[in-house]
Amino acid sequence: MNIDIILEGKLKEPCFKIGVEEFKKRLLGYVNLRIIEVSDIKEYAANFKKNYFIIALEINGNTLSSVEF
C-alpha cells in the first residue's frame, strides 16, 4: 500500500519533525510512506487521479476509530 501525507507548508518546529520521523519509522515496515510538503494543497490535489482516496485530517473533523477508518 502507498500512503502520501501531504502537508501544506513546511515542518518548522523540531518537535514536529521528530514526531513525523518516528511515525514514518513505525509505518515503513507495512506501507510505502511519503511525506510531501506543498505550498498550495488545492493546486496539488487538482492533479490527483480518480483511483486516489483523499482523507483530510482536520482538528474539528469527525473522530473515527481504527476500524471505522
Side-chain angles (χ1 to χ4, degrees):
M1 177 187 303
N2 297 316
I3 296 177
D4 292 343
I5 297 178
I6 313 328
L7 304 174
E8 188 168 42
K10 297 277 185 188
L11 280 176
K12 298 175 186 169
E13 298 295 326
C15 61
F16 293 143
K17 288 182 181 182
I18 292 168
V20 167
E21 288 306 314
E22 180 64 25
F23 184 71
K24 284 172 62 175
K25 186 169 52 172
R26 292 181 184 201
L27 288 177
L28 284 177
Y30 305 100
V31 299
N32 294 323
L33 178 68
R34 293 188 309 164
I35 307 291
I36 303 168
E37 296 173 338
V38 298
S39 59
D40 184 359
I41 198 147
K42 287 182 182 179
E43 182 180 313
Y44 185 84
N47 296 316
F48 283 133
K49 298 174 185 172
K50 289 185 179 182
N51 62 346
Y52 278 54
F53 291 99
I54 300 173
I55 301 166
L57 303 178
E58 169 61 44
I59 196 163
N60 295 319
N62 296 332
T63 301
L64 302 175
S65 70
S66 295
V67 173
E68 291 171 319
F69 185 69

